[in-house]
Amino acid sequence: MSVHSLTINSKRLEKRIADLAQIGKIGETGVCRLALSKEDRAAVDTVKRWMEEAGMTAYVDHFGNLIGRLEGENPAAPVLMMGSHIDSQPYGGRFDGTIGVLGAIEVIHTMVERQITPHIPIEVIAFCDEEGCRFNKGLFGSRGILGKLEQGELERTDKDGITRAQALLDFGCDPDKLQDCVYPEEKIASYLELHIEQGPVLESLDSPIGIVTGISGPLWLTVEMNGFAGHAGSVPMPMRKDALLAAAKVIAKLNDIASQDPGAPTVGTVGNIEVFPNSRNIIPERVAFTVDLRDIDIERRHRYEKELRQAIEDIAGECGVTYSIREDTNSEPRYCAEPIMDIMRQESSAMDVKAPELMSGPFHDALALSYVCDYGMIFVRCKDGISHNPKEFSTYEDISLGTELLYRTALRLSQNPN
Ligand SMILES: [Zn+2]
């Protein structure tokens, strides 16, 4: 199928993606729209206007989610939900999350123009703080509407000491009214998300889009190691309790653990490290770092986690430091609904587009939704698999094909509720 024979309006979609990329723009192609920031608010206001243009009613809930709704013939029926996020990493790209929100708006805009009234209501959501980089815990809005926030989440602080509760207030939300914004489980019929792949698989298969089979489960830990500070010039090597040395050994060990089976999709990463007092001539006393471990096979991930915890214990002993491990996130792999994947298979072949099936390593808002309803995801090829980087790139042709498949899938799910 060529872009010229699409039902959706790819030009309009392209323009909105390009316009949104101007908000929080960094450099030529990057964006920085941290959750609940001024830039995020400006983006929400803009996208809200597009939702209204597309024929939806739209509002921002107290979790900071932007929600648009197209009424169905049966307004009381559980909704078909579509969405993603428009917040970004501090040094992020233009497509991560945004194509899922703007693609879903394009789907609705097309339906309304074609005077199609869905049988069940359809809602499009730009979920608040999917990325999790500001308060070190993601999927805030999507877990929020499902009543899945954990104790203490509102007290989490960003690097400037601002709590999430304060950030919500500054955003115009009322943290005391969160409970009013929770969806009863039976209110969501199914969930669809369009997203860039953020990996190199589709490109290697020469396919513009792919059908996601499931999301692998992330485990997030924060490890803190405590040694003893001393003068870098005077404390002899055997007498040191160097917390950074211990951390370095753990980081190298995590890499060994995650790569021990070259055929497996397991990945392990330390992406953030803080050193105290962080001075050239002081032996590091305290180091905190994050661990991100993912796998589609939960048994294997559990086994690797055990190996890592043992390694931390051994290395701490060897380096004379103490340690603590905090678990920030622990999710199992979640598989997409077979009936939705079936619709996507049929529709992509009707479009004459090759859409191979693949797992998602990164997690998405769909992960939170997977616990309450059937869900399906469409991936769009991205150049060299690059994401969370201003160099992130997908062609508008590929994004349009993904949006067309989203349109066709949404049409079938909203006309034939099960
Ligand atoms: Zn994303």
Side-chain angles (χ1 to χ4, degrees):
M1 184 170 210
S2 89
V3 224
H4 307 291
S5 47
L6 297 179
T7 325
I8 60 131
N9 184 333
S10 55
K11 278 276 161 274
R12 180 168 59 202
L13 176 62
E14 175 175 342
K15 174 148 188 357
R16 285 181 181 156
I17 293 171
D19 286 353
L20 188 55
Q22 297 301 313
I23 303 177
K25 182 176 179 177
I26 47 168
E28 273 305 294
T29 59
V31 291
C32 174
R33 280 196 304 265
L34 291 186
L36 300 174
S37 64
K38 273 204 309 287
E39 293 78 15
D40 192 16
R41 183 71 226 192
V44 161
D45 292 338
T46 300
V47 174
K48 180 168 180 279
R49 210 179 60 237
W50 291 336
M51 283 179 167
E52 288 159 354
E53 264 174 40
M56 286 179 270
T57 52
Y59 69 101
V60 179
D61 76 359
H62 290 296
F63 293 105
N65 296 314
L66 169 62
I67 304 176
R69 181 177 168 103
L70 179 68
E71 205 46 88
E73 287 161 356
N74 180 1
V79 304
L80 165 63
M81 195 177 267
M82 294 188 283
S84 196
H85 60 98
I86 56 174
D87 68 314
S88 84
Q89 292 282 325
Y91 193 60
R94 290 161 286 171
F95 304 101
D96 178 3
T98 57
I99 69 160
V101 175
L102 302 184
I105 293 174
E106 180 51 42
V107 166
I108 300 294
H109 211 147
T110 303
M111 279 187 190
V112 170
E113 281 177 341
R114 297 170 77 90
Q115 293 173 330
I116 296 168
T117 304
H119 180 72
I120 60 173
I122 306 181
E123 293 190 352
V124 176
I125 304 200
F127 288 109
C128 184
D129 196 2
E130 187 272 350
E131 296 288 3
C133 39
R134 182 166 173 198
F135 299 99
N136 205 14
K137 192 160 179 77
L139 305 183
F140 177 75
S142 47
R143 286 182 304 112
I145 60 158
L146 304 174
K148 299 267 172 69
L149 294 186
E150 293 161 19
Q151 204 99 51
E153 286 207 37
L154 295 179
E155 285 74 53
R156 280 177 171 269
T157 50
D158 68 4
K159 66 176 178 26
D160 300 319
I162 298 170
T163 62
R164 190 188 295 270
Q166 187 58 48
L168 281 169
L169 283 168
D170 295 345
F171 204 69
C173 303
D174 184 347
D176 290 333
K177 293 190 180 147
L178 295 181
Q179 201 48 43
D180 305 347
C181 303
V182 172
Y183 280 61
E185 276 191 23
E186 66 283 359
K187 272 300 189 195
I188 306 170
S190 41
Y191 177 74
L192 297 176
E193 184 166 348
L194 174 75
H195 204 282
I196 56 166
E197 183 201 339
Q198 303 181 291
V201 175
L202 289 175
E203 190 172 60
S204 74
L205 296 172
D206 198 21
S207 302
I209 56 175
I211 298 170
V212 177
T213 56
I215 301 173
S216 68
L219 172 72
W220 281 6
L221 306 175
T222 300
V223 182
E224 188 174 299
M225 307 196 91
N226 282 285
F228 197 77
H231 197 293
S234 56
V235 182
M237 298 309 280
M239 295 173 68
R240 294 184 175 205
K241 294 176 177 176
D242 183 337
L244 183 53
L245 176 65
K249 290 184 182 206
V250 173
I251 294 167
K253 187 66 191 179
L254 171 65
N255 193 67
D256 294 344
I257 291 171
S259 29
Q260 61 189 288
D261 178 356
T266 325
V267 284
T269 309
V270 172
N272 176 280
I273 184 161
E274 279 167 24
V275 181
F276 177 84
N278 204 19
S279 165
R280 168 188 302 251
N281 61 355
I282 302 176
I283 299 163
E285 176 159 285
R286 189 176 71 241
V287 171
F289 59 93
T290 57
V291 169
D292 179 320
L293 183 65
R294 300 178 199 219
D295 206 313
I296 50 165
D297 179 340
I298 193 72
E299 292 309 319
R300 183 169 51 214
R301 201 197 76 191
H302 286 331
R303 213 165 58 237
Y304 288 0
E305 179 190 353
K306 243 191 185 148
E307 288 181 29
L308 177 69
R309 284 178 182 269
Q310 186 59 51
I312 293 171
E313 167 89 29
D314 296 347
I315 291 166
E318 186 187 307
C319 298
V321 304
T322 59
Y323 71 93
S324 64
I325 302 173
R326 186 183 75 209
E327 188 180 281
D328 300 314
T329 291
N330 184 349
S331 308
E332 333 156 336
R334 304 292 298 171
Y335 297 95
C336 291
E338 206 39 61
I340 297 181
M341 287 173 55
D342 241 350
I343 292 175
M344 291 174 176
R345 289 180 191 118
Q346 292 162 18
E347 295 298 331
S348 56
S349 82
M351 287 163 63
D352 201 19
V353 170
K354 194 173 101 184
E357 295 175 21
L358 71 168
M359 284 290 304
S360 173
F363 60 80
H364 302 284
D365 292 300
L367 180 65
L369 272 299
S370 75
Y371 289 90
V372 299
C373 65
D374 278 1
Y375 85 102
M377 280 195 82
I378 300 163
F379 269 172
V380 173
R381 163 170 63 187
C382 65
K383 192 169 185 312
D384 301 325
I386 296 170
S387 183
H388 286 187
N389 184 318
K391 291 200 176 70
E392 177 182 287
F393 181 75
S394 291
T395 67
Y396 287 117
E397 285 77 13
D398 289 357
I399 295 169
S400 295
L401 286 172
T403 304
E404 178 77 14
L405 181 57
L406 183 68
Y407 172 76
R408 289 166 173 247
T409 307
L411 212 51
R412 286 184 53 181
L413 285 173
S414 59
Q415 286 178 336
N416 298 305
N418 32 29

